[in-house]
Amino acid sequence: MDSLIDLSPELWQATYETLYIVGFSLFFGGLGGLLLGIGLYTTRAGSILGNSAVFSTLNIIVNIFRPIPFIIFLAAAQPLARAVTGTGIGNSAIIFTLSLAAAFGISRIVEQNLLTVQPGVIEAARSVGAGRLRIILTIIIPEALGPLILGYTFIFVALVDMSAVAGYVGGGGLGNFAIQYGYRQFNPWVTWAAVIVIILLVQAVQLLGNVLARKALRR
């Protein structure tokens, strides 16, 4: 227990690094996943930009990359991460790889939630002359906003798990803290301290996501 008190500065630093890594990964991966998901939704047959060739291409790309286990994706994408960020390890490389992996998963969440929008709402907008971009920005996305918030909350939790895995390959954060000071030094107090912090982070973000989604659904 005394060693845990001594390691308090490292624990807070690891918590900050986890929030830093997950926050930036959620931003970049969320943006990429949103664009990819909108592309999947709008180009499917019968949708407002229906194009079977584009939809099939996007669908195949997502189906190829989304099922890859993250620990394998992390190793496979390391050369690309090195080319883009200048390094294959460290927080910058982990953010790049996490963002890339998250974008494929988020795209399916976005596509599935956009499919819940009632076609009648879209037809009503088209009947009054609304353009396609305007329909996407002012009708489709706002109508699916509540479920999208819950979907992004789910992805935040998944990214916390994935960032902990990244601790094995040089990433910072609570995963690296638990491995370096807990697992390798046979100190269960340190490991459980990291677990408790992760649980508290997830509970806080899940609560925030639920509140925001409830407000979006009631508007």
Side-chain angles (χ1 to χ4, degrees):
M1 190 64 182
D2 290 341
S3 60
L4 177 59
I5 296 174
D6 294 338
L7 288 170
S8 294
E10 285 80 1
L11 176 60
W12 290 119
Q13 177 64 26
T15 303
Y16 166 76
E17 287 183 343
T18 292
L19 291 172
Y20 173 81
I21 292 170
V22 173
F24 275 100
S25 299
L26 185 62
F27 176 78
F28 291 117
L31 187 60
L34 180 65
L35 295 175
L36 197 51
I38 290 175
L40 285 165
Y41 170 77
T42 55
T43 58
R44 65 172 43 238
S47 192
I48 58 175
L49 296 172
N51 185 316
S52 59
V54 175
F55 174 78
S56 298
T57 302
L58 293 177
N59 197 44
I60 290 171
I61 291 173
V62 173
N63 284 344
I64 288 174
F65 289 102
R66 193 170 68 95
I68 301 175
F70 181 65
I71 189 68
I72 298 174
F73 187 88
L74 195 60
Q78 194 175 44
L80 182 60
R82 185 180 294 109
V84 174
T85 67
T87 177
I89 60 174
N91 291 340
S92 297
I94 296 305
I95 289 172
F96 173 81
T97 309
L98 271 175
S99 301
L100 198 58
F104 295 114
I106 291 173
S107 67
R108 284 299 183 203
I109 291 177
V110 172
E111 179 195 20
Q112 290 166 9
N113 284 314
L114 295 185
L115 285 171
T116 63
V117 177
Q118 294 297 321
V121 179
I122 299 172
E123 288 303 319
R126 298 181 75 169
S127 67
V128 296
R132 293 169 177 171
L133 181 60
R134 186 176 180 183
I135 291 175
I136 294 171
L137 296 178
T138 64
I139 303 294
I140 296 174
I141 293 179
E143 284 291 322
L145 188 58
L148 282 175
I149 291 173
L150 291 176
Y152 274 81
T153 303
F154 171 81
I155 289 297
F156 177 90
V157 177
L159 285 174
V160 171
D161 292 341
M162 293 158 75
S163 71
V165 173
Y168 267 110
V169 292
L174 290 165
N176 181 57
F177 175 83
I179 293 167
Q180 184 176 350
Y181 298 107
Y183 177 73
R184 289 177 180 165
Q185 298 186 22
F186 306 101
N187 191 334
W189 286 101
V190 173
T191 304
W192 274 102
V195 171
I196 290 170
V197 173
I198 288 174
I199 291 173
L200 292 175
L201 285 178
V202 169
Q203 293 298 318
V205 172
Q206 186 66 58
L207 178 62
L208 178 62
N210 290 343
V211 171
L212 293 176
R214 196 177 303 121
K215 287 185 177 179
L217 290 169
R218 286 177 179 173
R219 66 191 161 74

